[in-house]
Amino acid sequence: MVTKPIFLIGMMGSGKSTVGSELAKRCNLPFFDTDAQIILQEGQSITTIFKDHGEAYFRLLERQQIDQLPNEACVVACGGGLPCQGDLIAALVAKGTVVYLKASADVLFERIQDNSTRPLRTDLPSFQALLTERESVYEKAQIVIAADQTIEQLVLEIMNKLSQT
Ligand code: S3P
C-alpha cells in the first residue's frame, strides 16, 4: 500500500504528467502536476512566467509547490528541472518515493519537437547537455524506469516496483 507521496521526475517529454495521472487513477490517489499548479496559481503560462519574471522566480514557485504538498500518499508529476535545484532531490527522496522516467535525449527531444510551451527546449545539443548535467541528480531516485514504453506498461512497472519497496 502506498503511504507517502510518489514523485515522478525526468526530462521534458518523459511522460511524467500522463503517467502520473494514470498511476494516480489506478492507485486511487490525488494527483498533482507542479507545472499545472503553477500555471493555475500565477494565471500565466510557463513561457510567460520565464519571460516576465525570469527562471529563478519560476524555480522559487516550484520549490513552494513541494513545501505546500500534503504529507500523505499522492502522485506528483514534477517539472523537469525541479529536483535539480540545490538539495531538493534529497528532500523528495526523504519525503516520498522518487521515480525517474529515463530516456535518451534523442527520444525525448523527438517527442516534444512541436511543443512551444517549454522555454528550455531549444536545440538538440543544448537539450543533450541539459540532460547530461541533470542525469546524476535524476539517478538519485529510488526507482528508475525506462520511459520508452507505453503508458500502460509504465504504470504497471511502477506499481510493481512500488509494491516491492
Ligand atoms: C522544465 C520543464 C518543464 C517546465 C519548465 C522547465 C525544465 O516541465 O517545468 O518548462 O527545466 O526541464 P516538463 O518537464 O513537465 O515539461
Side-chain angles (χ1 to χ4, degrees), residues 11-12 16 35 46 58-59 62 79-81 118-120 134:
M11 281 294 267
M12 299 161 248
K16 297 165 300 216
D35 286 343
I46 291 175
F58 176 75
R59 298 301 175 196
E62 285 190 309
R118 291 173 169 109
L120 294 184
R134 291 175 171 180

Side-chain angles (χ1 to χ4, degrees), residues 11-159:
M11 281 294 267
M12 299 161 248
S14 57
K16 297 165 300 216
S17 302
T18 317
V19 172
S21 142
E22 195 52 39
L23 179 66
K25 250 187 251 160
R26 298 284 179 92
C27 299
N28 204 18
L29 293 173
F31 173 63
F32 301 96
D33 181 311
T34 61
D35 286 343
Q37 293 287 124
I38 289 171
I39 292 167
L40 203 68
Q41 178 186 306
E42 299 295 296
Q44 286 184 315
S45 71
I46 291 175
T47 305
T48 306
I49 297 172
F50 266 66
K51 205 153 17 103
D52 290 359
H53 307 282
E55 182 176 347
Y57 176 72
F58 176 75
R59 298 301 175 196
L60 197 71
L61 298 176
E62 285 190 309
R63 188 172 273 274
Q64 284 170 2
Q65 288 301 318
I66 299 303
D67 291 344
Q68 285 163 15
L69 266 185
N71 236 343
E72 57 202 38
C74 59
V75 179
V76 185
C78 299
L82 185 150
C84 307
Q85 305 176 56
D87 58 355
L88 213 39
I89 185 67
L92 299 184
V93 168
K95 195 170 176 145
T97 306
V98 183
V99 180
Y100 170 29
L101 298 184
K102 179 174 179 156
S104 70
D106 290 348
V107 167
L108 295 165
F109 194 77
E110 175 74 20
R111 278 191 191 172
I112 58 169
Q113 63 179 341
D114 293 328
N115 197 326
S116 59
T117 61
R118 291 173 169 109
L120 294 184
R121 183 215 169 272
T122 49
D123 52 87
L124 182 56
S126 311
F127 190 82
Q128 171 70 72
L130 192 61
L131 174 58
T132 304
E133 191 185 306
R134 291 175 171 180
E135 192 88 62
S136 63
V137 174
Y138 290 156
E139 293 282 354
K140 292 188 175 145
Q142 290 102 320
I143 296 174
V144 179
I145 306 263
D148 52 350
Q149 307 181 58
T150 65
I151 302 301
E152 176 68 15
Q153 285 168 331
L154 284 168
V155 170
L156 290 179
E157 192 175 337
I158 294 171
M159 287 174 76

